[in-house]
Amino acid sequence: MDQSVPFSKQLRVATRDIHSVSDALVNAKLAFALYDSHVWAEGLLIFYDVFKYLEQRVPHDFLPPELHRTAHFERDLLFYLGDGWQDRHTPKPEVRAYLDHLRKIEQENANLLLAYVYHLYMGLLSGGQILQKRRALGQQMNLFRPRTDGQQEGAALTTFEDHSIYELKQRLRKIVDDFGARLDDETRQRMLDESRKVFELNNTIIRTVKGVGTANLRVLKYIAMAIAAIVLMQVLIKSRVDTQQEP
């Protein structure tokens, strides 16, 4: 690829096909599950250790503190899983394999971790925002869920109070572009290879999320009940109108 092309764009182009597969998997796996807090919490939990590892190992020059999400993961997981969740938490084998890969490439060349920083945090700033909004909307539209105050509880991960999403994206792109401009061809190719590996590993751990079938059935049940209620209301209204029109 033309080296004048920003490196962040090179990373996006190199992962375009597998990124589409990943998006489709997330949509198929979690679309209905957005309405189910247990499944949502499991989705958070599989990525918690990955983000925590990066934030402990990657220098602030590559991963600014305002992007750090470990404490926000923990706040949301406390909300969904309750006290003592960390004592009960053991990463799944697929997550441990993900972490083992991060350790391996860190030993080879720690700079390769930037590929994971870029794709994971850009995903959180883009798709993560969309998922959270869809979840909030789904909860608002759920006629069978009691209304509560503090509807932002459990959404710390995707909330960036002091910085705009646009600002954070631009900063992350600049970090990657400035770094890419200094790379030799071999390291640049390794970064592109690891960019694809990010999505392969993400897809592997996303597939481990359980309870999606149950969540889907629950949502379909709610939808069916809502439709039945609407139909019944229409029948009652029509019956009343017909009665009033009788001589």
Side-chain angles (χ1 to χ4, degrees):
M1 180 177 289
D2 185 353
Q3 301 307 317
S4 65
V5 176
F7 192 50
S8 59
K9 183 173 182 179
Q10 294 181 41
L11 295 179
R12 292 197 303 274
V13 171
T15 58
R16 185 173 292 160
D17 58 335
I18 194 169
H19 194 167
S20 298
V21 172
S22 185
D23 285 347
L25 176 62
V26 169
N27 288 331
K29 193 80 173 175
L30 298 179
F32 283 117
L34 294 177
Y35 300 84
D36 189 290
S37 292
H38 295 291
V39 179
W40 182 258
E42 187 176 356
L44 296 179
L45 201 57
I46 59 172
F47 281 103
Y48 164 68
D49 294 288
V50 176
F51 277 78
K52 182 179 179 180
Y53 182 90
L54 292 172
E55 291 171 12
Q56 290 176 337
R57 310 294 293 188
V58 177
H60 289 177
D61 289 347
F62 282 173
L63 182 49
E66 57 265 31
L67 282 172
H68 285 200
R69 297 283 95 187
T70 298
H72 300 77
F73 267 106
E74 292 172 351
R75 193 183 313 163
D76 284 349
L77 288 167
L78 176 62
F79 174 76
Y80 289 116
L81 301 179
D83 293 333
W85 71 267
Q86 288 175 301
D87 296 330
R88 300 189 299 270
H89 171 54
T90 300
K92 296 180 179 182
E94 293 82 358
V95 176
R96 293 199 297 271
Y98 198 138
L99 297 175
D100 287 342
H101 182 75
L102 293 180
R103 295 186 189 97
K104 178 182 176 181
I105 64 169
E106 184 181 9
Q107 292 174 358
E108 175 190 342
N109 182 345
N111 291 330
L112 295 176
L113 292 177
L114 185 57
Y116 291 81
V117 169
Y118 177 72
H119 290 297
L120 287 170
Y121 286 83
M122 286 298 286
L124 183 60
L125 293 168
S126 298
Q129 297 293 313
I130 294 172
L131 287 174
Q132 180 58 55
K133 289 177 181 177
R134 287 171 60 186
R135 175 171 166 78
L137 179 61
Q139 290 177 322
Q140 291 173 11
M141 295 177 62
N142 187 347
L143 301 177
F144 304 94
R145 180 185 296 274
R147 298 297 182 190
T148 60
D149 295 329
Q151 293 187 1
Q152 294 304 308
E153 287 185 295
L157 179 63
T158 52
T159 303
F160 296 82
E161 297 93 345
D162 301 324
H163 302 273
S164 73
I165 299 300
Y166 174 80
E167 173 193 348
L168 293 171
K169 285 182 178 181
Q170 289 298 101
R171 179 163 188 189
L172 188 52
R173 288 192 186 103
K174 187 176 188 308
I175 290 171
V176 171
D177 291 341
D178 290 348
F179 176 72
R182 305 191 301 268
L183 289 179
D184 58 80
D185 290 342
E186 181 180 353
T187 306
R188 178 178 290 104
Q189 186 56 53
R190 285 291 291 114
M191 287 279 288
L192 294 173
D193 293 341
E194 284 304 319
S195 287
R196 295 185 63 82
K197 189 68 175 179
V198 175
F199 291 99
E200 292 176 9
L201 291 170
N202 288 352
N203 292 348
T204 298
I205 62 175
I206 289 170
R207 289 190 180 97
T208 69
V209 175
K210 300 184 184 303
V212 174
T214 301
N216 290 353
L217 290 174
R218 186 178 298 117
V219 173
L220 289 174
K221 179 186 72 174
Y222 289 153
I223 292 173
M225 292 172 66
I227 292 173
I230 292 171
V231 171
L232 178 60
M233 186 176 297
Q234 290 175 335
V235 170
L236 292 174
I237 292 173
K238 185 177 185 302
S239 175
R240 177 173 295 182
V241 170
D242 291 345
T243 301
Q244 293 173 347
Q245 291 178 346
E246 289 180 358

